[in-house]
Amino acid sequence: MRARPNLLAGFGSLVWLFVVGLPLYVMLVATFQSRADYAENGPLSFPEHVTLDNYVGDLNEGFAQYFLNTVIVTVCVVGIVLVLVPPLAYAIVRNDGKATGRVFRMFLLGLAVPSQAVIVPVFYLIDQAGLYDSLIGIVLPTAAFSMPVSALILTGVMRDVSPELYEAMTLDGASPWRIFHQLVLPLSKSGLSTIVVFSSLQAWNGFLFPLVLTQSAENKVVTMGLYDFQTEHGVDIPALLAAVVLSMLPVLLVYLFARRALVQGLMGVGGK
């Protein structure tokens, strides 16, 4: 017996597709028309003359440098998180000592402290270290604020590794370092992918630290570069939306390739 189609669910899906698709349509269509055509025809109209001038203009007016700076910041933040967080999570999972517990609780305390609340001390630390108006001055605090959530996610994933596997490798004479590299890391790929995506998003979309800790044009990142499209004569909306599309492409690609591992890693938070 054939199941009857769920018309209500189908209608709801169409409505949801319209709600999601309309903003994307408005954004993408605007990037392929000139500022004058956009102002004359409105945001819902299809461009009469398709042009790539908005994308070319964005890249020629400094957005390529902002894009490169953001890539450098993101790669450095992800690298720091991947170097520091996995050994920390492994030590927390395998060591029940009081000192390890205190360190973990200190990291979890970072979840309750928003960056806005400590931006002034962070500014003074970065300034006294001679890192003001530099990319490394953005990298360090961004990585620091990405580590608490990353540690929480990865400890949850590593707790799901079977204790019997640890015991088997220990009986074979494996050192903790070998167990970490040959057992724990391969079985924690979902958690590692999750923290890569999370820290990438934190770095790529960061606004507060670049705003406060930099001032020169050569050290601007994408989020700050979007301000360039607002002038005393108004906002160049097609050029601005073209810059938004360029800025979202890397994050979209990372998510498309890591979405399955991202979901699996988030499901492992908290352990068994």
Side-chain angles (χ1 to χ4, degrees):
M1 183 176 179
R2 295 182 59 184
R4 297 179 60 183
N6 192 332
L7 299 179
L8 183 61
F11 177 76
S13 300
L14 291 176
V15 172
W16 180 249
L17 179 63
F18 177 78
V19 171
V20 174
L22 182 61
L24 292 176
Y25 168 81
V26 171
M27 179 177 66
L28 291 175
V29 165
T31 63
F32 294 108
Q33 52 187 320
S34 65
R35 185 176 183 180
D37 290 341
Y38 181 85
E40 180 180 353
N41 300 324
L44 296 179
S45 62
F46 195 81
E48 298 179 359
H49 304 91
V50 177
T51 178
L52 297 176
D53 290 346
N54 293 313
Y55 292 98
V56 175
D58 289 350
L59 297 175
N60 290 337
E61 292 175 7
F63 199 79
Q65 181 63 46
Y66 308 154
F67 193 91
L68 177 61
N69 291 342
T70 311
V71 170
I72 294 173
V73 170
T74 302
V75 170
C76 291
V77 168
V78 172
I80 292 174
V81 170
L82 286 179
V83 168
L84 297 181
V85 172
L88 170 68
Y90 177 65
I92 292 171
V93 171
R94 296 295 295 162
N95 193 334
D96 296 329
K98 293 183 179 180
T100 305
R102 293 193 187 99
V103 172
F104 188 44
R105 285 192 292 271
M106 181 180 66
F107 267 81
L108 294 182
L109 182 63
L111 297 174
V113 180
S115 57
Q116 294 87 347
V118 295
I119 187 61
V120 174
V122 168
F123 170 79
Y124 280 109
L125 285 173
I126 294 298
D127 186 51
Q128 291 298 315
L131 300 176
Y132 178 73
D133 197 23
S134 66
L135 295 182
I136 190 65
I138 304 174
V139 168
L140 293 180
T142 304
F145 277 88
S146 300
M147 290 177 65
V149 174
S150 300
L152 178 63
I153 292 173
L154 208 53
T155 51
V157 173
M158 289 184 178
R159 285 196 179 101
D160 287 339
V161 179
S162 174
E164 289 77 11
L165 296 177
Y166 287 113
E167 295 174 2
M169 290 200 69
T170 302
L171 292 175
D172 287 340
S175 64
W177 189 252
R178 181 183 168 192
I179 295 174
F180 174 66
H181 278 276
Q182 296 185 2
L183 173 66
V184 177
L185 288 183
L187 294 179
S188 303
K189 288 182 179 179
S190 62
L192 293 172
S193 299
T194 303
I195 66 174
V196 166
V197 174
F198 171 77
S199 56
S200 297
L201 291 174
Q202 290 290 101
W204 193 271
N205 296 325
F207 179 78
L208 181 62
F209 292 136
L211 175 66
V212 177
L213 302 178
T214 61
Q215 64 177 2
S216 60
E218 59 268 21
N219 289 318
K220 278 187 178 181
V221 295
V222 164
T223 50
M224 294 299 300
L226 295 177
Y227 268 130
D228 292 347
F229 300 97
Q230 182 174 351
T231 66
E232 60 181 358
H233 303 294
V235 181
D236 189 350
I237 295 179
L240 173 61
L241 294 179
V244 171
V245 171
L246 291 174
S247 65
M248 66 182 284
L249 284 178
V251 176
L252 180 61
L253 292 175
V254 170
Y255 175 75
L256 288 177
F257 284 105
R259 64 187 185 279
R260 181 175 300 177
L262 176 64
V263 173
Q264 292 175 351
L266 292 176
M267 290 175 62
V269 174
K272 294 182 179 178

